[in-house]
C-alpha cells in the first residue's frame, strides 16, 4: 500500500512530524513512515511523551533523518534543547534543512558520533544500497570518515532518564 501511495523516489518530500517539517526520501522505510504516518515506532513516541517535559534537554544519538529529533523537539518545546548527534554527512545535510525550515526549533546538530572514546571511523554504504537513512558497516562503494566523541562527564545528568513512566 505504501508503494502505491508513495512511489519510491530519492527526491525529498516534506513530512510533518507534530508540526515540524522534515525533508525525507520516499525510497526509504523511515522516510515513507515519516511521510505517511508521522511516526515509525509508536512505542518510542509513547516513551518520549512520558519521559520528557517542556523545557527538558535530551540527546538523540544517531539522529538519522530526524524523526526522533523532531518528536523530542515537539515535546521539549522552545525552552528545551535537543542535542542531535549524526556522523553521516548526508543525514547532517537533511537535519540542517529541517532546522532551516523550522526557525526556532530547539535542535543543536553535532556532526559526530558518540562513543566510549575519541576516535575516527568509516561509515560505508554497501554495494547495491542507496545512501538513504540506513547504512551498514561492511564492503562498500561509498564511504565517509567521521569522528567519535565521548559524552562529556558534565552531561551525565542530562542523559539520566526520569523514573515513573
Amino acid at each position: 500500500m505504501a508503494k502505491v501511495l508513495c512511489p519510491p523516489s530519492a527526491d525529498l518530500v516534506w513530512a510533518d512530524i507534530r508540526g515540524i517539517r522534515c525533508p525525507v526520501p520516499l525510497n526509504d522505510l523511515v522516510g515513507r513512515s515519516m511521510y505517511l504516518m508521522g511516526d515509525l515506532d509508536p512505542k518510542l513516541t509513547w516513551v518520549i511523551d512520558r519521559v520528557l517535559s517542556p523545557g527538558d534537554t535530551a540527546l538523540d544519538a544517531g539522529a538519522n533523518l530526524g524523526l526522533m529529533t523532531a518528536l523530542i523537539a515537539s515535546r521539549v518545546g522552545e525552552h528545551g534543547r535537543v542535542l542531535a548527534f549524526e556522523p553521516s554527512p548526508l543525514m547532517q545535510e537533511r537535519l540542517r534543512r529541517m532546522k532551516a525550515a523550522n526557525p526556532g526549533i530547539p535542535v543543536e546538530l553535532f556532526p559526530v558520533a558518540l562513543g566510549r572514546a575519541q576516535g575516527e571511523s568509516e561509515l560505508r554504504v554497501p554495494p547495491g544500497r542507496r545512501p538513504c537513512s540506513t547504512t551498514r558497516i561492511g564492503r562498500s562503494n561509498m564511504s565517509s570518515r567521521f569522528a567519535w566523541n565521548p559524552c562529556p562527564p558534565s552531561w551525565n545528568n542530562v542523559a539520566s532518564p526520569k523514573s515513573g513512566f
Side-chain angles (χ1 to χ4, degrees):
M1 182 67 145
K3 288 185 180 181
V4 172
L5 295 172
C6 302
S9 169
D11 296 336
L12 298 179
V13 297
W14 291 96
D16 183 281
I17 309 299
R18 294 187 177 178
I20 297 175
R21 297 183 58 210
C22 302
V24 300
L26 297 180
N27 64 349
D28 177 79
L29 173 65
V30 176
R32 282 192 307 272
S33 295
M34 290 172 72
Y35 181 73
L36 290 173
M37 298 177 287
D39 203 345
L40 176 67
D41 190 339
K43 297 179 295 297
L44 291 176
T45 304
W46 182 90
V47 171
I48 288 169
D49 288 343
R50 277 143 190 89
V51 172
L52 297 175
S53 300
D56 281 351
T57 297
L59 306 179
D60 185 1
N64 204 310
L65 284 174
L67 173 59
M68 295 297 133
T69 304
L71 290 170
I72 293 167
S74 72
R75 183 70 180 146
V76 301
E78 64 185 49
H79 299 294
R81 290 173 68 200
V82 182
L83 309 177
F85 294 84
E86 177 52 55
S88 164
L90 179 62
M91 296 302 108
Q92 292 165 20
E93 180 55 35
R94 291 181 182 168
L95 291 163
R96 285 187 193 95
R97 287 183 69 182
M98 178 180 73
K99 277 190 55 89
N102 299 280
I105 188 174
V107 173
E108 299 170 45
L109 176 60
F110 295 85
V112 297
L114 288 179
R116 184 177 301 170
Q118 192 162 349
E120 193 174 280
S121 292
E122 188 170 25
L123 183 66
R124 298 182 187 133
V125 178
R129 298 270 316 227
R130 294 178 296 267
C132 295
S133 64
T134 305
T135 58
R136 289 180 277 184
I137 300 298
R139 291 186 180 157
S140 173
N141 56 356
M142 297 182 68
S143 66
S144 59
R145 301 287 304 165
F146 65 92
W148 287 93
N149 284 337
C151 193
S154 62
W155 289 6
N156 286 342
N157 64 340
V158 171
S160 298
K162 295 178 186 176
S163 61
F165 68 91

